[in-house]
Amino acid sequence: MNYKNISLVTLSLLCLSACQQPLVHVYHEGLSDIQRFELKKQLEQSQVNFEFTELPTPDKYATPHLLYFPGDVDQTYIQGIESIVRKLGYESFNSKVFSQTGHFYTRGNLGLYFPSSRSERELPELLFAHNCGDEDFQIHIKSNGHWAVMNSPVDTTDLKLKWEFNEPFLTLRRHFDDGTYQQQAYQVKKHKVRTLQGDKPAVTYEVMGHRGYSFSIFNCDLQAIFAD
């Protein structure tokens, strides 16, 4: 257990000017029973004021997100929540100020969203190289926030590869040992393609950046075709 991070959250809460601690609404449907138990224990130990909501997690949250009202919490509080989330096995974490276009709470309320099984299915587990000449590789999207390449045109041994998905945008990153990274962003296009079995639904993740990377995997669109 990392008591340092827990104490930082506690100190942050004590330093808040408001008499009442902010309330974190936890969207937990994507958590296992073990993860839910561990989350409850960590939040209680950190003296975080929270409640589990039975509302479904919006599909757009494919990674854990903390949404907050400006001025309710500071960066130390957010970092403490991030530490707790990562202990549950999540590689990615995002924090954002509430937007009127999404979920919106009044002052003193935060939303902590864990991806549901529905939102995970929005991103196919296997994507095929598309619009890429003779390249014929496949991207395996892993549930732990990492991705791998099968039939890769470049050596990916020992590379740290991570993904982030906020529909309609997919980002693939290649991390380096010095803390920097290279990335490509894609925008999803939902459509139908003609196959030998007739028209089938498909998604294509089209490159948004340039197509001149030496890491040639980033120069290709990615596509998945579904049976129905």
Side-chain angles (χ1 to χ4, degrees):
M1 183 185 301
N2 193 329
Y3 289 98
K4 180 179 178 182
N5 285 324
I6 292 176
S7 62
L8 285 175
V9 182
T10 304
L11 178 61
S12 175
L13 289 168
L14 292 175
C15 292
L16 290 173
S17 58
C19 294
Q20 184 178 359
Q21 294 178 3
L23 176 63
V24 180
H25 301 265
V26 182
Y27 289 73
H28 61 96
E29 67 169 341
L31 298 179
S32 67
D33 290 341
I34 294 175
Q35 286 177 314
R36 193 177 297 106
F37 174 83
E38 183 63 25
L39 175 63
K40 182 176 183 292
K41 183 177 70 173
Q42 293 289 339
L43 292 174
E44 288 175 344
Q45 289 178 347
S46 299
Q47 298 182 26
V48 173
N49 190 22
F50 71 95
E51 68 175 21
F52 287 114
T53 176
E54 298 308 315
L55 294 174
T57 301
D59 288 342
K60 66 180 179 179
Y61 298 119
T63 57
H65 276 66
L66 178 70
L67 273 63
Y68 59 94
F69 196 95
D72 274 349
V73 296
D74 58 20
Q75 196 59 38
T76 302
Y77 183 102
I78 294 172
Q79 290 172 351
I81 297 295
E82 178 179 1
S83 175
I84 291 173
V85 169
R86 291 186 183 279
K87 289 176 184 176
L88 301 180
Y90 290 95
E91 294 284 344
S92 300
F93 175 84
N94 293 276
S95 60
K96 297 179 181 179
V97 172
F98 279 123
S99 168
Q100 292 283 6
T101 60
H103 275 206
F104 184 82
Y105 287 115
T106 55
R107 183 177 293 278
N109 293 275
L110 297 78
L112 179 56
Y113 301 85
F114 289 95
S116 68
S117 56
R118 295 192 319 279
S119 60
E120 289 173 358
R121 285 198 299 267
E122 291 291 326
L123 182 60
E125 183 178 352
L126 195 62
L127 295 167
F128 293 79
H130 178 68
N131 190 23
C132 203
D134 295 330
E135 300 285 12
D136 187 27
F137 62 86
Q138 299 86 45
I139 299 293
H140 178 203
I141 301 294
K142 300 182 179 181
S143 60
N144 63 358
H146 291 261
W147 58 279
V149 191
M150 294 177 283
N151 195 27
S152 177
V154 296
D155 184 11
T156 59
T157 306
D158 297 327
L159 293 185
K160 191 175 183 180
L161 307 173
K162 294 187 176 182
W163 62 267
E164 182 176 331
F165 181 59
N166 292 292
E167 194 175 9
F169 304 109
L170 168 67
T171 302
L172 298 183
R173 295 192 178 99
R174 171 194 181 190
H175 290 260
F176 299 102
D177 291 338
D178 62 1
T180 61
Y181 60 84
Q182 189 179 51
Q183 70 176 29
Q184 180 62 279
Y186 309 79
Q187 184 167 6
V188 63
K189 173 185 175 184
K190 297 181 180 180
H191 56 109
K192 289 194 174 185
V193 297
R194 181 163 295 177
T195 72
L196 294 176
Q197 290 75 39
D199 291 346
K200 299 294 181 181
V203 289
T204 298
Y205 294 86
E206 298 178 335
V207 166
M208 296 178 66
H210 66 80
R211 296 178 184 264
Y213 283 105
S214 57
F215 189 64
S216 60
I217 291 170
F218 283 167
N219 302 328
C220 304
D221 294 340
L222 304 171
Q223 187 178 84
I225 301 174
F226 305 103
D228 294 308

